[in-house]
Amino acid sequence: MKRTARLVSLLVVTALLASSATMVFAKDLKLIEGDVSTRPDYVEGELIIRYSGKSTIFDKVKVREKNSLEKIRDLPSNMELVRLPAGLSTSKAREKLAFEQNVMSVQPNFLYYPDAAITNDPYAGIEWGLDNQGQKILGIAGTPDIDIDAPEAWRLMPASADEVVVAVIDTGVDIDHPDLQGSIWMNEAEVNGLKNFDDDGNGYIDDFNGWNFFHRNNDVFTNAKADGHGTHVSGTIAAQTNNGIGVAGVAQNVKIMVLKFIGINGGSTADAILAVKYAKDNGADIANNSWGGGGYDQALKDAIEDFGKPFIAAAGNESLDNDLKAHYPSSYDCSNIISVASVDNTGLMSDFSNYGITSVDVAAPGGYIASTYPGSSYAWMSGTSMAAPHVSGIAALMLGAKTGLTASQVKEIILKSATANRLTSLEGKILTGGLANAEAAVKLAMKAKVK
Ligand SMILES: [Ca+2]
Ligand SMILES: [Ca+2]
Ligand SMILES: [Ca+2]
Ligand SMILES: [Ca+2]
């Protein structure tokens, strides 16, 4: 039996087939930057008029009648909010009214949005998985609120959230990507230690940011072709927010431990086990696993149980029922595994996504996810590979908001957040029938009792 792990992402699959059907790189991301946000700046059809101090109530009525305006309400300082007649645009009416006697100024009824909902990361508006306002993604209009409610969760986070280490067990990661370099775990003992010497005695020499189990060295980034997947997954979890570039990750209180075990043609059980063990021995709080393959593998299952922390796993991309045909590692019956299916920006289960009423726990955004890509760029990728890191990010927010949550508490809360957020397309397909929700999860985490 072939025992290699495959990445659970459509981009990689198509890349291997030398097709670029689902690959869109940074230059194309820029092309659609124009519809980054569908949020209007002001209320169309309304204006705020400020009358001069000496104008009487009759002067105001005159202005309104002449221009077919309807008063909505009085405002302080001699101002009125008015509704425009149908067919008259706000900008046209503004020009017209500016010349009226007794009118001092005219301004739109501007719209304001919570600050935390908008980051200054230029691509944040296309990250529908974090905040879906119905914006078009590659031409497809979304369904508002088919997302994980990330901005709402961010507002709940304490300023001093605990730092959480997420092991990305995957390909390598471009740790120099400008949107990721501040979010990479550092092994202090080695960073401040001696060259060519295993300072912390963990069996790995100069493991500054994790380890490359595939090449058996400390270089966690080989090249763009080999390591695009892990770079993309890492950005969804932890890309730097409010740094003026690129995307925003789900969690800001995160450091990514890079554990590469997958090369261009897959990864092996032996290396996966070593990676999971490394995550445990070196303090990872969560493991993200956007891969699958092989068969039932007792050694790997034991390693996952021994890890004991939340082990978030992609459900797979074969459009199959995992209850009938298991997908590993997501299908192992371990209390710390959370198996994740994918939905698109309209709320449908992604057509590639595996499912399973007992073996798949929750869904998360996984169709056309914009995230970091090697070489300071950004790319769209689709897959349950992209859904899992949204859930890892939620787990990281929870652990940041509440010290000492156990893996079973994290799992229970994430499943509860999805049960409260059911989607028709997922009913009868996955255990919770719903989409994981960061806001609900963080709220429940803050209320949870820990030992
Ligand atoms: Ca939302
Ligand atoms: Ca070491
Ligand atoms: Ca060293
Ligand atoms: Ca950013």
Side-chain angles (χ1 to χ4, degrees):
M1 183 187 295
K2 213 174 142 212
R3 291 227 162 183
T4 55
R6 279 169 299 102
L7 298 161
V8 192
S9 143
L10 290 184
L11 179 132
V12 170
V13 173
T14 50
L16 291 175
L17 297 174
S19 148
S20 59
T22 60
M23 296 177 78
V24 182
F25 287 96
K27 63 178 172 54
D28 303 300
L29 272 181
K30 282 199 186 98
L31 286 178
I32 63 163
E33 209 179 330
D35 52 38
V36 151
S37 176
T38 53
R39 280 178 171 175
D41 292 331
Y42 54 82
V43 182
E44 186 59 50
E46 290 182 9
L47 277 178
I48 294 172
I49 299 174
R50 183 182 200 132
Y51 296 97
S52 66
K54 58 178 171 46
S55 40
T56 63
I57 193 155
F58 302 106
D59 294 331
K60 295 179 186 176
V61 169
K62 220 169 104 186
V63 170
R64 291 204 301 268
E65 283 185 347
K66 187 177 161 198
N67 294 284
S68 314
L69 304 173
E70 180 197 334
K71 183 166 89 172
I72 298 172
R73 75 178 67 93
D74 286 311
L75 294 172
S77 313
N78 241 2
M79 295 191 292
E80 275 180 359
L81 176 63
V82 297
R83 183 169 293 120
L84 308 179
L88 182 61
S89 74
T90 303
S91 54
K92 267 265 150 44
R94 254 186 103 179
E95 284 170 28
K96 212 172 142 202
L97 286 164
F99 296 103
E100 282 289 344
Q101 222 182 346
N102 296 314
V103 170
M104 276 177 70
S105 64
V106 187
Q107 70 149 75
N109 190 17
F110 286 112
L111 288 166
Y112 297 92
Y113 301 96
D115 278 341
I118 310 167
T119 70
N120 69 12
D121 307 273
Y123 297 150
I126 53 175
E127 290 181 274
W128 66 269
L130 306 188
D131 187 16
N132 190 341
Q133 303 198 1
Q135 65 267 48
K136 279 188 182 172
I137 300 298
L138 298 175
I140 309 279
T143 302
D145 216 27
I146 296 295
D147 57 37
I148 62 164
D149 283 337
E152 291 87 340
W154 297 339
R155 281 197 286 275
L156 300 170
M157 291 299 286
S160 57
D162 284 353
E163 187 173 288
V164 172
V165 178
V166 179
V168 170
I169 303 178
D170 207 287
T171 67
V173 173
D174 180 1
I175 55 173
D176 294 322
H177 193 293
D179 229 356
L180 282 177
Q181 56 187 2
S183 303
I184 303 297
W185 176 74
M186 282 202 283
N187 181 353
E188 297 297 336
E190 292 287 358
V191 171
N192 302 313
L194 302 168
K195 267 258 158 74
N196 301 315
F197 179 75
D198 183 10
D199 297 272
D200 57 358
N202 66 354
Y204 299 93
I205 294 168
D206 298 351
D207 49 328
F208 303 126
N209 309 108
W211 193 252
N212 181 338
F213 295 90
F214 187 79
H215 292 112
R216 303 194 167 86
N217 63 34
N218 71 344
D219 190 1
V220 295
F221 179 67
T222 312
N223 58 48
K225 196 175 173 204
D227 300 323
H229 189 273
T231 303
H232 196 279
V233 162
S234 297
T236 297
I237 300 168
Q240 295 272 305
T241 293
N242 280 321
N243 62 347
I245 54 163
V247 292
V250 174
Q252 290 304 292
N253 55 313
V254 169
K255 295 286 186 245
I256 299 288
M257 177 189 280
V258 185
L259 302 179
K260 169 168 174 158
F261 88 103
I262 296 180
I264 287 281
N265 296 314
S268 71
T269 296
D271 290 339
I273 290 169
L274 290 174
V276 176
K277 184 166 175 7
Y278 185 103
K280 177 187 160 70
D281 293 347
N282 295 278
D285 301 295
I286 297 164
N288 186 85
N289 300 274
S290 290
W291 49 277
Y296 188 91
D297 188 331
Q298 189 64 46
L300 180 58
K301 180 172 187 261
D302 292 347
I304 293 167
E305 273 169 356
D306 187 48
F307 175 58
K309 308 279 177 62
F311 188 94
I312 321 290
N317 291 349
E318 291 82 30
S319 315
L320 292 176
D321 184 344
N322 287 353
D323 290 357
L324 301 177
K325 186 177 186 302
H327 170 270
Y328 299 111
S330 67
S331 289
Y332 289 121
D333 185 19
C334 301
S335 62
N336 57 329
I337 291 181
I338 302 176
S339 173
V340 187
S342 169
V343 295
D344 69 17
N345 67 327
T346 69
L348 293 178
M349 193 170 75
S350 302
D351 53 8
F352 53 76
S353 183
N354 290 359
Y355 50 93
I357 192 76
T358 62
S359 61
V360 178
D361 298 309
V362 298
Y368 291 119
I369 301 302
S371 185
T372 47
Y373 208 74
S376 306
S377 71
Y378 298 87
W380 298 104
M381 289 177 88
S382 294
T384 51
S385 275
M386 282 63 243
H390 281 91
V391 176
S392 292
I394 293 173
L397 289 172
M398 292 165 66
L399 290 171
K402 187 71 171 217
T403 311
L405 286 178
T406 63
S408 13
Q409 282 177 307
V410 169
K411 180 171 179 176
E412 190 191 321
I413 289 172
I414 287 176
L415 267 57
K416 208 177 252 185
S417 82
T419 307
N421 198 15
R422 297 172 74 86
L423 295 179
T424 322
S425 70
L426 302 171
E427 300 228 11
K429 290 281 195 180
I430 62 173
L431 182 65
T432 58
L435 193 55
N437 186 279
E439 182 189 20
V442 168
K443 271 187 189 157
L444 290 168
M446 284 171 148
K447 277 193 255 165
K449 288 201 170 51
V450 293
K451 280 190 193 130

